[in-house]
């Protein structure tokens, strides 16, 4: 199963909102969240907060059928995805339905 990782800045002061949103998705919205992940082809979605001198960064790890699954989850019109996208725009200041530019700078396989 392919794995993907990326980092998103957290708007200063929005760390608690991010945690609360993710707790809600793991709690009262868990069944709906799991259904939407499955629909997109995502089998694992893990997030860490990493404090830095310039603010907090959310480090995201996703295991999915393919890279397109991340975009499918971010752009779905399902109610949970729409709600999540709005929360993430507030938390990260970006629209997660839009693909982020990525440049590979290093890759070594043994």
């Amino acid at each position: 199963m392919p794995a993907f990782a990326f980092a998103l800045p957290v708007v200063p002061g929005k760390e608690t909102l991010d945690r609360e949103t993710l707790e809600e998705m793991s709690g009262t919205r868990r069944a709906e969240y799991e259904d939407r992940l499955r629909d997109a082809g995502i089998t694992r979605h893990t997030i860490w907060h990493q404090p830095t001198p310039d603010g907090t960064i959310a480090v995201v790890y996703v295991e999915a059928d393919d890279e397109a699954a991340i975009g499918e989850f971010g752009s779905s019109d399902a109610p949970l995805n729409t709600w999540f996208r709005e929360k993430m725009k507030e938390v990260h200041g970006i629209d997660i339905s839009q693909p982020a530019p990525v440049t590979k700078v290093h890759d070594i396989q043994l």
Side-chain angles (χ1 to χ4, degrees), residues 20 57 77:
E20 289 170 351
I57 295 175
D77 289 331

Side-chain angles (χ1 to χ4, degrees), residues 4 8 22 30 51 61 100:
F4 308 92
L8 299 168
L22 298 169
R30 185 174 184 120
Y61 174 81

Side-chain angles (χ1 to χ4, degrees), residues 29 32 35-37 39-40 69-86 95-98:
R29 293 179 174 251
E32 185 182 10
D35 287 344
R36 298 296 71 81
L37 289 173
D39 288 349
I70 299 167
E72 288 176 32
F73 183 81
S75 63
S76 170
D77 289 331
L80 176 108
N81 301 70
T82 300
W83 170 83
F84 182 67
R85 191 168 43 251
E86 290 169 4
D95 181 354
I96 64 166
S97 70
Q98 300 303 309

Side-chain angles (χ1 to χ4, degrees), residues 106-110:
H106 183 76
D107 184 20
I108 187 167
Q109 293 181 332
L110 301 176

